Amino acid sequence: MDDRNEADRTPNPIDVHVGARVRMRRKLKGISQEALAGKLKLTFQQVQKYERGTNRISASKLYEIARALDVTIADFFEGLDDTRTEDGVAETSTPYVHGMMVTHDGRDLANS
């Protein structure tokens, strides 16, 4: 039986933020999850888990993702706020931007 409580299974907000940034950059480049997975020698399901923040991205894999998407590693942390919640976890300052940027209209707006 799993003794972990519900909070232990909740993705870390930083992992969610980085994953959302990976997704946004991938979509802005017009690359499918399958194509990115192929470049990284992963399954598209693993890319999905990274993008949701369900699975953490290792430093070496984040480096590979940055190279595959032609961005810097720092781009994945952009928008991360330095403020902390009571439990010491960093909060993202612009979650609504990620939601917009992964839509077709959001990409059109960014590219105009």
Side-chain angles (χ1 to χ4, degrees):
M1 183 156 34
D2 190 353
D3 290 340
R4 298 184 311 165
N5 63 30
E6 190 65 32
D8 291 340
R9 288 182 236 148
T10 303
N12 183 293
I14 295 171
D15 296 328
V16 173
H17 178 87
V18 170
R21 297 286 298 179
V22 168
R23 182 173 189 230
M24 182 181 73
R25 291 294 182 179
R26 176 183 60 76
K27 287 190 165 249
L28 285 172
K29 296 278 186 181
I31 300 171
S32 69
Q33 286 180 332
E34 294 83 4
L36 180 59
K39 289 181 179 187
L40 302 172
K41 297 182 175 92
L42 298 172
T43 63
F44 80 91
Q45 292 95 335
Q46 183 61 47
V47 171
Q48 284 178 331
K49 290 177 182 181
Y50 284 158
E51 290 182 356
R52 281 191 227 122
T54 306
N55 286 8
R56 289 185 173 171
I57 305 172
S58 70
S60 59
K61 194 56 73 177
L62 192 60
Y63 176 81
E64 290 178 33
I65 293 169
R67 290 191 58 161
L69 297 176
D70 195 32
V71 296
T72 68
I73 293 170
D75 287 331
F76 299 127
F77 295 92
E78 186 176 302
L80 192 62
D81 194 355
D82 263 347
T83 60
R84 308 264 177 213
T85 61
E86 287 182 17
D87 60 1
V89 177
E91 294 182 335
T92 58
S93 61
T94 55
Y96 55 90
V97 173
H98 299 298
M100 185 182 132
M101 292 304 294
V102 296
T103 67
H104 181 69
D105 291 337
R107 288 190 307 275
D108 285 348
L109 179 63
N111 291 327
S112 61

